[in-house]
C-alpha cells in the first residue's frame, strides 16, 4: 500500500465537488450535514469509488421537504413519498449515521401525522398521510432508539416518539388481533409490503374497502396470523421497554417486557413449524401457508431466538444455496420453491434479491455475532455495485444485474452502508467505533472493485482516517498515525479513542501485532472471535463461536 499517496487522495478529496451543484435549496443544508460527518471514501483503483459518489448524488434527490420546510427521506424511484416499512424505519436508521437531522425529521413526521385513533400512516407524500394499510417490517422503536443513542440522546424527541408508538401498539392490539391469538394479523399483501409474493396469492393487495381495520369477510383464508408482523411488535415492545426505563418509568419497562414475551409466545405457538424449522403465516383454517420467503430474515432481524437458533437458520436457509444464498443474496423466495421467479424487472417479492432485505440483514447477523458470515453477503453485493449505472429496487440473484426502477434510497443506502461496514469507520449506538480492516474482493470476473481503500469520518471533533491495503491497515487520528494492524480484523474503540478490543473478520485465524499508544500488542483471533484489551494484553471476551459455512442442500 502506498500509504502517503492514498492518504493524500483522501485528504484532497472534496465531497461537494464530487457531488456537484445542488439541484434544490434544501440540498445545501443536507450536504453541509454530510460534510460535517467528515465521511469520505477513496480507492486506489476500480469503479466502486465512482459508484459511491453517484449514490450520494442520488441520495440528495430522495431527501425532499414534504408538507413542511424540513426535508425528510423519500423512498425514491417511482415511490414518491416516505413509507413506514422502509424509509421511515431502516432507511432512516442507516441515514442517521450520515445526516441525523433528516432521519429525525422523518421519524417525527410519522408521529405528527398519527391519527386520533392511534394509527400511524403507512406512507406520507406531498398529498398528505395515507392510512389504507399498515405495512410494517423493521420495528420503528429500534430505529428510533438507535438514532437517539448515537445522536445526543435528546429526551424530548424520545418522549414524542415513545408516546406515539404506545398509541400505535394499542391500535394494533385493537384492530389486528381479531382471532384473539396475540399475533398481529395481515389483512392484505400490502400490509407487509410483499408485492406479488406467492405468500399472498389469492389475497387482495389492500384491506377491505381500503380500511386498515377491515378484512374481506368473504375470503376463505384471511386473516393470516403473520410471523413478520408479530415479530415486529415483539421487538417493538423490547425497545419500548428500554425507552420507558430511559425516561424514568421503571414500571413501564417491566410492562413492555411482559407484553413482548406475550408476543414471542404467540409467534412460536401459532407461526413456527417445528418440522420445517420455519416461520409461516397461519390462515383462518389453521393451516400453515407453506411459502418460504424472506419472512424468515425479517423475523431474525427482530431479535427472535438466541444464537443457536439463528445458526440453525443460517445452515438450513439463509446460507443454503438451494434456499436464499444465491450468488447475489438474499432471494425473496426460496430458490427450490417451484413458484420462485428471479425476474427483477418489476416490483416483485417472488424471487429477486431486494435491497430492502439487504439493508435489514446486518442487524440479524451482528446481533448474534455473525460478522464474518455477513461479509460474504457484503462482498457479493459490492461486486455487483461496481457495475451499477442506477440504483434499482432489486437485482438478479444470478447475475447481479439491476432491476426495476432507479434512484431508490434502499439501494443507495445499501452501497453507503456496506462500504462503511466492510472497510470504513462506523459509529455504534453502544458508543463504540468500528474500524474494519477489509477490502472489497475481486469476486466477479477477477475485476478489482477498489484496490486499496481509504475512509474518513469525524466523531466528536476528532478526525479519523482508515487506510486498508494488502499489507495491513492504518488509522490516523487528527492527522497523526494512531493505530496500525494486520488486515482481516475489526478494531473497536470508544468515542474518546480508547482501544477496547478486536473482532476476527475472516474465516481464517489472524495473528499479528497492533501498534497503539506506544505499545506493540500481539494477538491471535479466529473468525467471529472477540478479544478485549486488558491492560497491555488481549484476552478472550468469551468462548469462540466459530464460523457457519454455506450449505448446499
Amino acid at each position: 500500500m502506498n500509504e502517503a499517496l492514498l492518504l493524500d487522495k483522501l485528504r484532497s478529496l472534496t465531497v461537494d465537488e464530487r457531488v456537484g451543484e445542488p439541484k434544490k435549496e434544501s440540498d445545501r443544508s443536507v450536504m453541509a450535514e454530510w460534510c460535517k460527518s467528515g465521511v469520505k471514501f477513496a480507492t486506489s483503483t476500480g469503479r466502486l469509488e465512482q459508484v459511491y459518489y453517484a449514490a450520494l448524488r442520488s441520495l440528495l434527490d430522495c431527501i425532499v421537504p414534504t408538507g413542511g420546510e424540513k426535508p425528510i427521506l423519500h423512498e425514491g424511484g417511482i415511490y414518491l413519498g416516505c413509507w413506514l416499512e422502509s424509509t421511515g424505519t431502516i432507511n432512516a436508521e442507516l441515514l442517521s449515521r450520515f445526516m441525523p437531522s433528516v432521519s429525525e425529521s422523518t421519524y417525527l413526521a410519522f408521529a405528527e401525522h398519527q391519527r386520533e385513533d392511534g394509527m400511524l400512516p403507512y406512507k406520507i407524500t406531498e398529498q398528505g398521510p395515507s392510512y389504507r394499510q399498515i405495512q410494517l417490517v423493521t420495528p420503528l422503536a429500534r430505529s428510533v432508539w438507535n438514532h437517539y443513542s448515537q445522536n445526543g440522546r435528546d429526551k424530548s424527541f424520545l418522549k414524542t416518539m415513545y408516546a406515539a408508538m404506545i398509541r400505535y401498539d394499542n391500535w394494533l392490539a385493537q384492530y389486528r388481533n381479531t382471532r384473539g391469538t396475540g399475533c398481529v394479523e395481515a389483512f392484505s399483501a400490502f400490509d407487509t409490503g410483499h408485492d406479488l409474493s406467492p405468500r399472498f396469492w389469492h389475497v387482495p393487495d389492500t384491506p377491505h374497502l381500503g380500511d386498515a381495520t377491515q378484512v374481506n369477510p368473504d375470503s376463505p383464508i384471511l386473516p393470516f396470523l403473520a410471523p413478520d408482523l408479530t415479530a415486529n411488535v415483539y421487538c417493538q415492545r423490547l425497545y419500548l421497554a428500554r425507552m420507558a426505563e430511559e425516561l424514568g418509568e421503571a414500571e413501564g419497562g417491566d410492562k413492555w417486557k411482559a407484553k413482548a414475551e406475550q408476543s414471542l409466545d404467540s409467534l412460536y405457538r401459532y407461526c413456527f413449524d417445528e418440522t420445517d424449522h420455519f416461520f409461516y403465516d397461519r390462515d383462518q383454517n389453521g393451516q400453515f401457508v407453506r411459502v418460504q420467503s424472506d419472512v424468515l430474515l425479517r423475523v431474525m432481524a427482530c431479535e427472535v431466538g438466541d444464537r443457536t437458533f439463528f445458526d440453525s437458520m443460517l445452515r438450513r436457509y439463509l446460507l443454503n444455496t438451494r434456499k436464499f444464498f444465491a450468488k447475489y443474496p438474499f432471494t425473496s423466495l426460496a430458490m427450490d420453491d417451484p413458484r420462485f421467479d428471479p425476474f427483477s424487472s418489476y416490483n416483485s417479492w417472488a424471487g429477486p434479491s431486494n435491497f430492502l432485505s439487504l439493508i435489514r440483514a446486518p442487524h440479524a447477523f451482528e446481533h448474534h455475532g455473525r460478522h464474518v458470515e455477513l461479509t460474504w453477503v457484503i462482498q457479493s453485493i459490492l461486486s455487483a455495485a461496481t457495475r451499477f449505472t442506477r440504483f434499482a429496487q432489486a437485482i438478479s440473484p444470478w447475475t447481479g444485474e439491476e432491476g426495476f426502477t432507479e434512484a431508490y434510497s434502499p439501494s443507495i443506502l445499501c452501497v453507503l452502508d456496506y462500504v462503511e461496514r466492510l472497510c470504513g469507520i462506523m459509529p455504534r449506538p453502544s458508543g463504540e467505533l468500528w474500524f474494519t480492516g477489509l477490502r472489497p474482493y475481486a469476486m466477479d470476473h477477477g475485476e478489482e472493485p477498489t484496490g486499496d481503500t481509504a475512509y474518513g469520518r469525524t466523531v466528536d471533533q476528532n478526525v479519523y482516517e482508515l487506510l486498508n491495503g494488502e499489507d495491513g491497515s492504518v488509522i490516523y487520528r487528527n492527522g497523526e498515525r494512531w493505530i496500525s494492524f494486520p488486515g482481516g480484523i475489526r478494531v473497536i474503540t470508544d468515542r474518546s479513542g480508547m482501544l477496547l478490543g478486536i473482532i476476527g473478520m475472516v474465516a481464517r485465524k489472524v495473528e499479528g501485532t497492533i501498534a497503539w499508544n506506544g505499545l506493540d500488542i500481539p494477538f491471535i483471533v479466529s473468525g467471529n472471535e472477540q478479544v478485549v484489551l486488558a491492560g497491555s494484553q488481549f484476552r478472550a471476551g468469551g468462548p469462540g463461536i466459530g464460523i457457519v459455512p454455506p450449505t448446499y442442500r
Side-chain angles (χ1 to χ4, degrees):
M1 174 175 63
N2 190 326
E3 189 175 318
L5 190 64
L6 192 59
L7 191 61
D8 182 66
K9 182 177 182 181
L10 181 69
R11 290 177 176 176
S12 62
L13 189 153
T14 304
V15 175
D16 282 332
E17 290 180 2
R18 296 297 297 268
V19 171
E21 287 295 315
K23 297 179 184 178
K24 56 186 183 297
E25 186 58 34
S26 62
D27 288 351
R28 298 182 188 278
S29 60
V30 168
M31 270 308 301
E33 186 164 26
W34 178 282
C35 292
K36 183 180 178 182
S37 76
V39 171
K40 296 180 178 182
F41 176 59
T43 68
S44 62
T45 188
R47 288 196 68 251
L48 190 58
E49 180 183 325
Q50 177 184 339
V51 172
Y52 183 91
Y53 289 103
L56 181 51
R57 283 195 297 273
S58 294
L59 179 62
L60 295 180
D61 296 334
C62 299
I63 299 174
V64 185
T66 307
E69 294 183 1
K70 292 184 177 180
I72 65 172
L73 182 60
H74 280 210
E75 195 81 357
I78 66 162
Y79 305 101
L80 304 178
C82 182
W83 268 253
L84 182 60
E85 67 147 330
S86 49
T87 339
T89 48
I90 185 59
N91 298 17
E93 183 174 334
L94 301 186
L95 187 67
S96 186
R97 302 203 306 269
F98 307 100
M99 301 171 178
S101 72
V102 178
S103 295
E104 186 159 310
S105 296
T106 303
Y107 296 135
L108 289 171
F110 284 94
E112 178 185 346
H113 291 292
Q114 187 167 36
R115 215 164 54 181
E116 286 188 8
D117 66 355
M119 187 183 183
L120 292 175
Y122 81 90
K123 71 174 180 179
I124 300 169
T125 69
E126 284 290 348
Q127 288 70 48
S130 182
Y131 306 91
R132 183 182 61 183
Q133 64 239 20
I134 56 174
Q135 207 151 335
L136 299 178
V137 184
T138 298
L140 175 60
R142 190 196 85 200
S143 298
V144 166
W145 177 260
N146 287 342
H147 169 83
Y148 167 81
S149 298
Q150 65 187 21
N151 289 291
R153 304 183 83 90
D154 179 357
K155 286 196 175 180
S156 64
F157 163 75
L158 191 67
K159 286 178 181 177
T160 298
M161 295 306 302
Y162 177 65
M165 290 184 288
I166 289 174
R167 292 194 294 271
Y168 193 37
D169 186 270
N170 291 335
W171 186 94
L172 289 168
Q174 181 175 355
Y175 294 108
R176 290 303 183 103
N177 184 27
T178 64
R179 294 165 60 180
T181 62
C183 293
V184 182
E185 296 164 354
F187 291 176
S188 68
F190 289 176
D191 279 336
T192 68
H194 256 160
D195 305 47
L196 297 186
S197 171
R199 173 189 183 187
F200 288 110
W201 281 357
H202 310 296
V203 168
D205 284 340
T206 60
H208 187 54
L209 303 177
D211 182 345
T213 69
Q214 300 295 316
V215 64
N216 179 7
D218 296 324
S219 171
I221 52 178
L222 291 178
F224 285 172
L225 307 181
D228 46 352
L229 298 180
T230 305
N232 175 291
V233 168
Y234 160 69
C235 190
Q236 182 85 357
R237 288 172 168 178
L238 288 180
Y239 281 85
L240 287 174
R242 293 191 189 188
M243 292 179 189
E245 292 167 355
E246 178 77 1
L247 295 171
E249 301 177 11
E251 291 183 3
D254 292 340
K255 179 191 74 172
W256 286 115
K257 289 173 186 176
K259 285 192 170 188
E261 284 302 312
Q262 291 168 7
S263 292
L264 187 64
D265 178 70
S266 295
L267 173 68
Y268 277 103
R269 181 180 301 180
Y270 295 103
C271 298
F272 185 63
D273 178 43
E274 294 280 357
T275 302
D276 291 349
H277 201 69
F278 203 90
F279 292 96
Y280 296 114
D281 298 293
R282 192 183 287 270
D283 74 8
Q284 153 188 159
N285 308 299
Q287 296 186 90
F288 282 129
V289 181
R290 292 188 182 277
V291 176
Q292 292 181 352
S293 73
D294 80 310
V295 158
L296 175 62
L297 189 54
R298 295 176 174 197
V299 172
M300 293 295 94
C302 288
E303 305 180 10
V304 170
D306 59 14
R307 180 184 290 139
T308 300
F309 186 79
F310 182 67
D311 289 355
S312 69
M313 292 302 189
L314 291 179
R315 294 186 182 94
R316 296 184 67 154
Y317 295 104
L318 295 175
L319 296 181
N320 186 333
T321 62
R322 290 176 63 96
K323 295 293 185 179
F324 297 99
F325 201 48
K327 178 173 172 60
Y328 302 94
F330 293 100
T331 57
S332 47
L333 200 74
M335 288 177 281
D336 61 356
D337 189 310
R339 295 158 290 199
F340 175 77
D341 174 14
F343 212 51
S344 60
S345 61
Y346 49 85
N347 176 15
S348 169
W349 288 82
S353 297
N354 277 270
F355 278 99
L356 274 172
S357 292
L358 289 167
I359 62 176
R360 291 166 180 153
H363 187 81
F365 281 72
E366 291 169 352
H367 182 69
H368 295 294
R370 289 293 167 201
H371 304 280
V372 174
E373 293 83 351
L374 179 61
T375 67
W376 304 336
V377 179
I378 293 175
Q379 292 283 14
S380 295
I381 298 305
L382 288 183
S383 288
T386 61
R387 306 192 297 274
F388 287 178
T389 57
R390 54 191 175 86
F391 298 93
Q393 177 175 329
I395 57 174
S396 164
W398 306 151
T399 68
E401 182 181 357
E402 296 157 291
F404 177 68
T405 202
E406 58 185 316
Y408 183 63
S409 66
S411 55
I412 292 166
L413 287 162
C414 186
V415 170
L416 303 179
D417 178 62
Y418 276 20
V419 165
E420 185 159 285
R421 288 180 192 274
L422 189 77
C423 56
I425 304 163
M426 184 173 171
R428 300 288 296 163
S430 62
E432 295 175 343
L433 299 180
W434 286 357
F435 300 84
T436 306
L438 297 174
R439 298 180 302 158
Y441 192 81
M443 298 292 292
D444 296 349
H445 312 291
E447 294 182 9
E448 185 62 64
T450 62
D452 298 335
T453 66
Y455 196 93
R457 179 181 269 283
T458 300
V459 180
D460 299 338
Q461 310 305 313
N462 292 307
V463 177
Y464 296 96
E465 296 156 319
L466 169 64
L467 310 182
N468 289 326
E470 187 174 357
D471 53 350
S473 300
V474 178
I475 307 171
Y476 282 75
R477 186 171 187 259
N478 297 326
E480 301 293 330
R481 211 169 194 270
W482 181 47
I483 300 177
S484 62
F485 55 98
I489 66 172
R490 171 175 285 157
V491 168
I492 304 171
T493 74
D494 65 16
R495 292 177 73 102
S496 72
M498 176 62 67
L499 179 61
L500 301 177
I502 59 177
I503 299 175
M505 293 297 295
V506 290
R508 60 181 166 85
K509 185 174 291 186
V510 180
E511 183 174 359
T513 300
I514 290 183
W516 170 75
N517 203 28
L519 301 172
D520 291 325
I521 312 172
F523 71 88
I524 302 175
V525 67
S526 300
N528 290 320
E529 183 183 7
Q530 182 164 351
V531 298
V532 298
L533 185 64
S536 59
Q537 292 183 318
F538 286 113
R539 301 186 187 279
I545 64 172
I547 301 293
V548 178
T551 55
Y552 307 98
R553 56 180 302 164

